[in-house]
Amino acid sequence: MTATATSPGVAAAAAPGTIQGARPPRAGKPKRRWTRTSIWGLLFTLPAALYVLIFHVIPVIYGFVLSFTKYSPLSRSGPEPIGLKNYTTLLSDPDFGNALLVTGRYVLQVLPITVIIALALALLVNRPFRGVGLFRSALYIPHIVSLTAVSMIWLWMYSHNGLINDVFAFFGLPDQSWLLNKGAALNAASAMRIWKALGSNMVLLLAGLQSIPKELYEATRVDGANRWQSFLYVTIPGIRPMLVYVVAMDIIYLAQGFAEIFVLTQGGPLGSTTTVNYLIYTQAFQYNQFGSASAMAFVLFAFIVGFSLLSIRGLMGRQK
Amino acid sequence: MTAPTATLRSSAVRSKRRGMNPRRNRVGMAVALVLAALAVLLPFFWMISLAFTPEKDAFRSVSLVPANPTLENFGTAFIDANLLHALYNSAIVALVAVIANCIIPVLAGYAFAMMPFPGSTAMFFGLVATSAIPVSVTLIPLFLMAKGIPLAGGNDIFGHGGSGLLDTLGGIMLPYLVAPMNIFLARQYFSTAPAELAEAARIDGAGELRIFFRVYLPLARPLIAVVAIFAFTAVWDDFLWPLVVTSSTEMQTVQLALARFLASGNVQYAPLMAASVIVTIPVLLVFLFNQRSFISGLSDGSVKG
Amino acid sequence: MRTTRRRRLAALAAAAAVATLLAACSSAAPENSSSPDGVKGKKITVWFPGTNQTEIDLVEKTIVPQFEKKTGATVDVAYYDWGDLSTKLNAAFAAGTAPDVFGHGPAAVADFVTNDRLEPLTRYVAAMPKKDREDLASALPGGQVGGVQYLMPLSMQGTSLVYRAADFTAAGLDPDNPPTTWEGVYKAAEKLTKRDASGKITHSGLLLPSQATGRQQTFAALIMSAGGSQVSTDMTKATFDSAKGVKAMNFFTKVYNGSDAVAAGLGSDYSDAPANQQPLVLGTASIAMQTADKTMQMIEANPDLDLRVMTPPKFEGAKKGYGLGGAGSGLMINADSTHKNLDWTFIKYMISAKVNAQYTEGIGKIPARTSAIKTDYVKGSPILSAFVKIGSDMRPNPNVPGWVQIRDTMDKYIEQGLHQQLPAEDALSQAADEANKILKANG
């Protein structure tokens, strides 16, 4: 109980010192030793680790093994080992190469826009005022409405006589067949995805903003900093860990973009919206080829992990 | 917890901010917020409008106000898709997932951030990396595992002989109880938490579990709110896993109920929208309830309540 | 829990009501008492291909209870949309939990057959009365692979050209005598097409499905009407890269491209759009290739609309015009089912004249039996009657292993042809090369 009673005061006192450095002993490359605390640390991670090991890691390993086989779930004989053939086939498959490019472009164009708008919205709804809960909810709604249902609305908005062309016509711009045009379809899908992802990004950044002790703002204000400076020197460093999470999460999920493509364009026109995960889905569930679907998944996995680590490095690195 | 000092300080900040903030600025922000909310909600407004439109008039006009409004679609949604029962199933699964996710991965993330041990970084990345594999690949092995859970659904100790957790609520919740991304999220959140609190508590002789539950968890209310919202939404939104793991109408989740109106080439638009609007409401309530944790902001006490 | 109980109660009450009704009926119909041997007390699971509510109500409240009463067996039914069935079945077959009887579209059948998952139905069909077999003659081929019956179609599907009679009149064409050749259709379409000052098409004379999957189906109808085929009769080689295929492809491309194009919106999925967003309803097109189901929905939403159905046109010089169609989705028996006798009894019940008429009316599709033309359901709808009348002009896509992949491959190259990224010859020969590889890998 002692700890509970003292915590707020300690938190306030300790916060200014800890926030920027993010604790050097943990951030650097420490030689960790087994201490009483670290053994407890291991124990704390065990329930989650065991669960993830059984229900996530094992299926992933199963999939990895399948990637070296030819396997249809319908077959009675089970997986048939074929070595690296699934991977070598991918190397020479222009459709797969194209899908990787499409996926990359998709991530790169959705991610920054989503994060920037979400951060702006999070800042707007971070202050308490009457009805703030309603605004936060309104901005979160796209994340929770059923994608298949709302995609019918988007399909209609994007259609030739849909809302978006009406808006364009209002401004005297020529109308477009958004989802039928090779140059526009991926952008159209991206717009829907940004719309859908804004809410979750905003909520996370909001939680990040909440973790910034207000005393820091007070301190910078006493030092005579203006709003922009306090944003730059307090807000951004304060939400950096959450920003890292948001960016990594967006990369992981966007790179697996599938559902929005499936409902809007079915990968077309001319393969311009065929993402890797779209190919994986068709390979697995349309053609029953789980071996090559798994191989694609692990190539995608390598890209996601590499790209996420790079961006985490980049975001954390600037701190030093 | 109450903290009179914090409240005092916050009111001081509030008065100071008021002096700094010109009214013009506030109006500007309010306008920006209203515009953003309207723009974001536009497709949703159309869903609501369609939900009140008779099916044969669906997409007939561009107007947001239905010409012949009807409640018929809601009736169809509740009766045909058996929506109440689906809401009940999804709610049970989602609540269990929320509770599990607010404890297990949060505890792990806390340990990864505050109590590192040899090999913890590698272990952390290993666990989180599983999120980067598309579901298409892991669906079937997971299905086989759900069927082979020992001692469930008539299975023996080796997981043979019965149907395991197939077509049960337990089976539906299987992949959601610990979301690896939540471990990551919690670790990030706790990475800025003050270590001094734990050190002080340890000196006072507090146990590690107590330090987590009594010191850090109360400080992590925004984190818990986010985890709760995301865990709930994840269960609520998923289609593929419940599709595969259930086989009876009794076990349908909300997304499966919605699929009733999504027959290929023969979508029933109006009932679909009505059902979707209904299905959105519980998540919205969960969100509204949890967002109250985001109270501290710039001017309120961070440890209120 | 409470909801479950209440639901069960409601279901019980409904079942009781139906049972009482049935008892009354069956006493008047003695043939209902003849129960096949060895099915009483047994239980099978059936997955239906469709989530249509009328279908579910009909199956759950009428057909299955009637069947259960008649046979003393129990039937557990679940319903899945086509798009979700493959996922469900893949997992279920991998885990050995697949149902006794399941439905799917004809396109999926060959892959199940290659993996030895289906019970051949030929001998069951052969045991049916000749009258029934003849009545089902146009439906059966769609469910065959290599001449062996594996799927019993529950309904028929058909696509044909549908047109707005008023537009024909306005353009000086005779709506009662529509063109009979594709060349004639094109000429009519040129008259019906409207352009704005810049030459952009504002009203399409003729729309052909050109979205994913749709373009393969359009091409299939065209090549068949040119006298060509997609796959050799022994199902081992792609034949769609023939001169007839090129002719079909060129026609398709011309509809959407060039100064004398007659259609706008290449790639747009008009065929699956909501009834009120259909070009024929909006008046943005005069002739469109469309399915029977969708056409009926359009009429239902707009009863005053005068839509007519064309007999599938042929290309000049070809013998006969065909539409893509034939068997719709149907039921198959799991090779591992332990109650095949009961499985077949159930399927036979589903395709019996009365039940099938009831069923297809419920789901708004074309009945599997030719004799259905005499039912009130068909007679009551001019659109449906027209589609039933041209039922014998419908031909299905080939049922070869790997078909879904072959179809998608064709689709990809047809798209490139349509966008004039490849000449028709190259698009088709490249598609044929890939299709032959798939055929070989699966053969």
Side-chain angles (χ1 to χ4, degrees), chain C residues 146-397:
Chain C
V148 180
Q149 195 78 38
Y150 286 100
L151 169 122
M152 276 311 277
L154 292 176
S155 62
M156 300 292 287
Q157 52 186 352
T159 50
S160 194
L161 294 176
V162 178
Y163 59 99
R164 288 164 63 98
D167 289 6
F168 267 54
T169 315
L173 298 160
D174 180 3
D176 297 323
N177 287 304
T180 54
T181 63
W182 278 107
E183 289 82 357
V185 170
Y186 198 91
K187 274 202 196 93
E190 283 183 308
K191 283 192 193 140
L192 294 159
T193 305
K194 290 177 191 137
R195 293 184 158 78
D196 65 11
S198 67
K200 216 175 88 180
I201 295 177
T202 53
H203 176 102
S204 303
L206 166 68
L207 278 181
L208 299 174
S210 60
Q211 79 280 18
T213 330
R215 38 186 179 256
Q216 185 276 330
Q217 294 171 347
T218 303
F219 175 75
L222 290 171
I223 189 175
M224 290 188 294
S225 305
S229 64
Q230 299 187 80
V231 180
S232 60
T233 30
D234 61 356
M235 304 277 183
T236 54
K237 218 174 146 332
T239 53
F240 55 75
D241 55 341
S242 61
K244 283 155 183 165
V246 172
K247 186 174 186 181
M249 187 67 228
N250 280 331
F251 180 88
F252 196 0
T253 312
K254 198 172 138 202
V255 166
Y256 279 99
N257 295 284
S259 55
D260 51 356
V262 290
L266 176 59
S268 103
D269 181 5
Y270 74 84
S271 36
D272 288 326
N276 283 325
Q277 286 289 302
Q278 284 289 331
L280 292 178
V281 171
L282 295 172
T284 53
S286 298
I287 312 174
M289 194 183 269
Q290 193 46 279
T291 63
D293 318 9
K294 204 52 155 192
T295 312
M296 286 195 282
Q297 288 170 27
M298 285 190 254
I299 295 291
E300 207 170 298
N302 305 276
D304 298 333
L305 194 61
D306 186 4
L307 292 184
R308 313 268 181 97
V309 181
M310 258 185 231
T311 305
K314 57 173 189 167
F315 280 97
E316 276 165 18
K319 269 197 203 114
K320 191 169 162 21
Y322 294 101
L324 185 70
S329 54
L331 297 174
M332 295 163 257
I333 297 180
N334 183 345
D336 297 332
S337 168
T338 46
H339 304 301
K340 289 184 187 135
N341 205 4
L342 176 56
D343 297 341
W344 174 251
T345 312
F346 181 72
I347 293 179
K348 209 168 66 180
Y349 186 71
M350 282 301 302
I351 52 165
S352 63
K354 205 176 122 203
V355 175
N356 193 253
Q358 211 178 6
Y359 174 79
T360 43
E361 177 170 9
I363 62 176
K365 291 201 187 273
I366 310 174
R369 286 171 178 267
T370 322
S371 63
I373 197 153
K374 284 173 274 176
T375 60
D376 291 341
Y377 163 50
V378 176
K379 279 195 284 190
S381 156
I383 293 289
L384 192 57
S385 304
F387 271 103
V388 171
K389 224 172 91 191
I390 57 172
S392 54
D393 302 338
M394 297 295 153
R395 291 289 177 274
N397 269 326

Side-chain angles (χ1 to χ4, degrees), chain A residues 1 23 26 51 136 215, chain B residues 9 40 113 174 193 214 291:
Chain A
M1 275 307 126
R23 266 188 311 271
R26 246 179 279 145
Y51 196 93
R136 289 167 177 169
E215 289 76 10
Chain B
R9 202 179 299 128
V40 155
L174 210 55
R214 295 293 167 93
Q291 65 87 25

Side-chain angles (χ1 to χ4, degrees), chain B residues 155-172:
Chain B
N155 276 348
D156 58 22
I157 188 101
F158 303 107
H160 293 302
S163 59
L165 289 180
L166 298 187
D167 207 26
T168 63
L169 291 182
I172 303 175

Side-chain angles (χ1 to χ4, degrees), chain A residues 241-261:
Chain A
M242 205 47 95
L243 207 55
V244 167
Y245 176 76
V246 167
V247 169
M249 176 194 80
D250 283 346
I251 293 172
I252 290 174
Y253 290 155
L254 288 171
Q256 297 179 63
F258 160 70
E260 64 279 20
I261 303 291

